[in-house]
Amino acid sequence: MIRKIVVYPDKRLKQRSCEVVEFDSTLHTLLDDMNETMTAKNGIGLAAIQVGVPLRALLINLPDEDGEQYPENLIEVINPVIVDRRGSTTYTEGCLSVPEYYDDVERSEWVKVEFQDRYGEKKSIETDGLLAIAFQHEMDHLDGHLFIEKLSFLKRKKFEKEWKKKLKEMREKKK
Ligand code: Y12
Ligand code: CO
């Protein structure tokens, strides 16, 4: 089932998500729905809070060299912790909760992440490039943070002005 995406400035995006303790069918349905939602919206990463569920669960599915996303490349990540990080890199990020806005964000270049899979099995990954950026972006959601919080003061001010205008236009379109 495709779920509704929570869009900025919805307060739910600011909350800290809770640890997953039950690796049951409710969690599996949530992960399946998140995957369907992410795919339908052309996303490459999605955290549970973006569909309104405050649990420490996220998905990443990066496109292959041919630009296509494949189900076998899906990574399901539960209760992740970054245990080591190195370097720094900048990438132009976007987020399904802040549609049509992209900006440069600086993050660690390499990360080691420990997490659990949908069955509660412990996993570990050491990664760099786009996957490292995706992990950090999605894990920020679990702590109630969005990439726009990393913008400079002036860029953020410009963003808020443009966003208010966009929301007003969207509301008027709905009337
Ligand atoms: C690098 C940078 C950011 C991430 C986090 C995951 N971000 C996304 O998955 C962003 C998806 C996105 C998709 C859009 O396309 C549609 O909604 C059809 C989009 O464009 C519009 O909203 C029009 C914006 C963002 C991981 C790695
Ligand atoms: Co996001």
Side-chain angles (χ1 to χ4, degrees):
M1 185 183 77
I2 294 175
R3 301 200 189 190
K4 202 163 176 271
I5 298 272
V6 175
V7 171
Y8 180 79
D10 192 303
K11 280 195 189 89
R12 286 173 288 178
L13 292 169
K14 288 187 80 80
Q15 78 185 88
R16 188 179 188 277
S17 292
C18 299
E19 199 162 319
V20 173
V21 288
E22 303 275 8
F23 295 83
D24 57 7
S25 63
T26 306
L27 175 70
H28 296 174
T29 302
L30 168 67
L31 293 170
D32 293 343
D33 286 356
M34 284 170 64
N35 189 24
E36 210 180 321
T37 307
M38 180 175 74
T39 306
K41 306 282 180 192
N42 290 329
I44 57 173
L46 190 72
I49 193 59
Q50 291 181 273
V51 292
V53 180
L55 285 177
R56 300 185 84 77
L58 63 92
L59 303 180
I60 297 171
N61 190 353
L62 299 187
D64 254 345
E65 289 101 58
D66 60 4
E68 295 290 322
Q69 283 169 295
Y70 295 98
E72 59 269 29
N73 292 338
L74 177 70
I75 310 175
E76 295 178 336
V77 180
I78 316 294
N79 300 330
V81 181
I82 295 179
V83 293
D84 201 2
R85 56 171 82 230
R86 283 174 210 157
S88 122
T89 188
T90 300
Y91 189 81
T92 309
E93 297 189 10
C95 178
L96 287 174
S97 293
V98 193
E100 291 178 63
Y101 185 79
Y102 307 88
D103 220 321
D104 291 352
V105 174
E106 194 182 327
R107 298 197 184 269
S108 300
E109 192 182 14
W110 175 94
V111 289
K112 180 177 179 184
V113 186
E114 289 178 356
F115 60 98
Q116 286 165 286
D117 68 10
R118 63 160 63 202
Y119 306 104
E121 292 295 320
K122 287 191 174 164
K123 304 273 172 188
S124 175
I125 189 168
E126 294 178 30
T127 188
D128 60 5
L130 190 57
L131 186 55
I133 293 162
F135 263 102
Q136 292 169 81
H137 176 112
E138 299 310 330
M139 285 178 68
D140 271 356
H141 279 293
L142 308 185
D143 292 323
H145 297 300
L146 292 174
F147 76 106
I148 51 169
E149 293 169 39
K150 293 184 175 283
L151 303 180
S152 69
F153 179 77
L154 283 178
K155 267 194 175 177
R156 179 68 187 267
K157 229 174 132 181
K158 190 165 172 268
F159 163 78
E160 291 296 343
K161 200 175 162 194
E162 286 170 7
W163 197 255
K164 254 187 201 158
K165 197 171 154 225
K166 185 185 152 105
L167 289 179
K168 200 170 162 231
E169 282 167 5
M170 277 163 54
R171 275 186 212 117
E172 269 155 20
K173 250 189 210 169
K174 273 188 193 165
K175 276 181 194 168

